Amino acid sequence: MKQKPRDCKYQNILFSQTRASARVLDRWVHVFPRGSPWEASEIARNTNLLSTNKILTNKADFSLLISLFRCKVSNAMTAFATAAALSLPFSLCRSSKLSCRKGVRGGFGVFAVLGEEGGLLDKKSTWGQLFDVEDPRSKMPKFKGKFLDVYQALEVARYDIHYCDWRARQDLLTIMILHEKVVEVLNPLARDYKSIGTMKKELAELQNELAQAHREVHVSEARVATALDKLAYMEELVNDRLLQERNPAESDQESPSPSTSTQSLDTVKRKSPQKNLNVSGPVQPYHPRLKNFWYPVAFSSDLKDGTMIPIDCFEEQWVLFCGKDGKPGCVRNTCAHRACPLHLGSVNEGRIQCPYHGWEYSTDGKCEKMPSTRLVDVRIKSLPCFEQEGMIWIWPGSDPPAASLPSLQPPPGFQVHAEIVMELPVEHGLLLDNLLDLAHAPFTHTSTFAKGWNVPSLVKFLTPASGLQGYWDPYPIDMEFRPPCMVLSTIGISKPGKLEGQSTKECATHLHQLHVCLPSSRQKTRLLYRMSLDFAPVLKHIPFMHYLWRHFAEQVLNEDLRLVLGQQERMINGANVWNCPVSYDKLGVRYRLWRDAVERGAKQLPFGKST
């Protein structure tokens, strides 16, 4: 009788002792070759070969063997996707050369560790947090009455998600336990206790059980898809309530069951009228209340001593320049004498000089010099103007200015690489709608940053119930609307044009963007774009790099502009550009609701803090 390996604690196993043992392991790993899974003759042949190899089995100092087996990817893809979603210890990497054979692609390994007594370690303790989930069936929502209002229906849909999650975990746990049993059967040490016939019988039984478990996983997957569809529809109903500012009313949906209720869902779709935003018709004059915010209008790097920057803001012309103290000022870009544009003149000793008759104005709008005539008390309108964090800010409203300015600095560790200003022939709200939407990227930006992106089956923007910030799923992009007209985003990247990971925290390198959409006029926007990186600082010192960044930014914007200009033309002719919002339009819808509340003079603005 053969001597059993003596018991010992866990040791690292080096399978590269000799080429012979590596070849033996390679043959044993592929007990289930592609095209003939679960073939008993291959099992018997390889286990015999392994047990007769002296180099590998005579090492009595280790009682621990790693048993690997391969399954066809097509038969286990659902289980693998569920495992990845639950953060199970599966590897997406290719196996090493020791466990790969030519012609065999992909797959995953299941690792079974033998303890001192030769049995499997208790993996349930390792996976306890994943599978020890309370059965939610006892907590199914119970509502009185035949019909549910929209919020109750949303609660039921959420319960469906919880139930499907629990059911999928149970199905996956069944598969993991069966996999462990397979590894036990294939354990070379089991040959001392079991005949080949017994192993064949056990493997056949396990094969049937695994097939049934995989069918259950497919059913769970279908249940999850149905529940997600219902949840998305319920979210749309809740958004409709917010859009119309109506009191909760009863919907015609009956209470759904944990796994089926498509008939009642169809009833809701037929009987519940959909309420939407109405953004149509010619652009109306901007409401004065929208002016009562600090607006960034220029980058400090563009405003040097002796220079001027003419801007339009809310259909009024202004000009920026530096005063005697070096601080920026903003005055109306119209001379009080003959209405000549002041930006066509020059700056002399901190005063802007009209090119027509030489009248000079300080940053507070007072005329301090009138050549060739007697000086009289003349003023032009000026606006509160400050410089902060590399940007020039103005307050165009009639209310007293807010005491503090918002911060638009990139996160710590980022360096600014480009600051670009563009004048675009679109209304600023339409441009903000576009910037707050990422779902269009794989369809619109196919020649620039989204080239090669796959089209996800479901795109969501996840955000707190009262907030204007969140993150995109499945893209590693965080985004925020910062009132009154700013969009900040952080993108996780691995190399230019490629996304990495499923969240920005998982990514090693990032791109930070700031878009400021200043409302110049009803059909014109002044766009300020700032790009920052947390890697490659050397790019700042490459000559003419600024022109390359501008060229790329213009390419991306041109892909959007041809669409937004078409929207604007149709909107002016009466089309509603927000006719049918869906779940991934959440951030754009919230911007529109915020803006509507400002223009109505709401005492408290929606979605939390505004700066």
Side-chain angles (χ1 to χ4, degrees), residues 297-316:
V297 294
F299 293 111
S300 301
S301 57
D302 294 332
L303 187 63
K304 303 177 177 63
D305 291 339
T307 63
M308 297 165 288
I309 300 178
I311 62 169
D312 290 353
C313 183
F314 291 106
E315 300 189 286
E316 293 182 319

Side-chain angles (χ1 to χ4, degrees), residues 309-370:
I309 300 178
I311 62 169
D312 290 353
C313 183
F314 291 106
E315 300 189 286
E316 293 182 319
Q317 291 74 45
W318 305 91
V319 61
L320 306 172
F321 66 100
C322 291
K324 293 180 180 179
D325 56 0
K327 297 180 179 179
C330 179
V331 299
R332 189 182 296 279
N333 192 12
T334 303
C335 182
H337 180 210
R338 301 282 290 275
C340 180
L342 293 176
H343 77 276
L344 300 178
S346 59
V347 177
N348 296 324
E349 298 179 352
R351 297 187 298 268
I352 188 169
Q353 185 185 72
C354 177
Y356 208 173
H357 296 90
W359 290 24
E360 296 183 5
Y361 301 88
S362 60
T363 54
D364 61 0
K366 179 178 177 58
C367 183
E368 296 184 349
K369 191 173 183 179
M370 296 180 181

Side-chain angles (χ1 to χ4, degrees), residues 232-233 235-237 239-240 243-244 274-279 576-590 592-593:
Y233 180 70
E235 287 180 341
E236 290 179 20
L237 292 181
N239 285 338
D240 292 342
L243 297 178
Q244 296 301 318
Q274 188 174 9
K275 305 297 183 182
N276 303 306
L277 284 164
N278 184 13
V279 182
N576 183 6
V577 297
W578 276 103
N579 187 54
C580 186
V582 294
S583 57
Y584 55 65
D585 294 320
K586 185 181 296 183
L587 191 54
V589 168
R590 290 190 176 186
R592 287 291 179 174
L593 294 173

Side-chain angles (χ1 to χ4, degrees), residues 90-194:
F90 280 80
S91 174
L92 192 57
C93 304
R94 291 185 179 273
S95 303
S96 65
K97 292 182 179 180
L98 292 178
S99 59
C100 283
R101 176 182 295 179
K102 292 183 179 179
V104 180
R105 298 180 181 177
F108 60 88
V110 178
F111 298 84
V113 181
L114 295 171
E116 294 184 356
E117 298 180 357
L120 286 167
L121 293 176
D122 185 9
K123 285 199 171 186
K124 191 171 182 181
S125 61
T126 306
W127 299 335
Q129 295 181 352
L130 296 174
F131 295 116
D132 290 342
V133 178
E134 183 181 0
D135 186 343
R137 287 176 291 185
S138 61
K139 297 182 179 180
M140 180 178 178
K142 296 180 181 179
F143 301 108
K144 296 181 179 180
K146 184 177 180 180
F147 302 103
L148 304 179
D149 65 27
V150 64
Y151 296 100
Q152 292 172 334
L154 179 61
E155 184 65 24
V156 172
R158 286 174 176 164
Y159 165 78
D160 273 2
I161 295 292
H162 293 157
Y163 171 81
C164 291
D165 172 74
W166 173 81
R167 181 70 265 172
R169 290 171 190 259
Q170 301 307 306
D171 294 338
L172 188 60
L173 178 59
T174 300
I175 291 178
M176 301 304 295
I177 293 175
L178 290 172
H179 284 176
E180 289 181 348
K181 291 181 179 179
V182 171
V183 175
E184 280 186 295
V185 172
L186 296 178
N187 178 12
L189 298 179
R191 185 176 178 276
D192 294 336
Y193 308 99
K194 298 179 182 179

Side-chain angles (χ1 to χ4, degrees), residues 378-449:
V378 174
R379 284 181 178 270
I380 56 176
K381 185 176 180 180
S382 64
L383 296 177
C385 182
F386 287 94
E387 179 180 9
Q388 175 178 285
E389 298 175 347
M391 305 194 80
I392 310 298
W393 299 72
I394 65 171
W395 181 277
S398 57
D399 287 356
S404 59
L405 298 174
S407 175
L408 300 180
Q409 281 282 79
F414 284 78
Q415 288 188 0
V416 176
H417 282 252
E419 293 179 336
I420 301 170
V421 180
M422 300 180 185
E423 302 290 343
L424 305 177
V426 295
E427 194 268 333
H428 91 289
L430 289 178
L431 186 58
L432 281 170
D433 291 341
N434 174 268
L435 293 172
L436 295 171
D437 169 28
L438 193 65
H440 74 280
F443 302 99
T444 304
H445 299 290
T446 55
S447 298
T448 53
F449 70 89

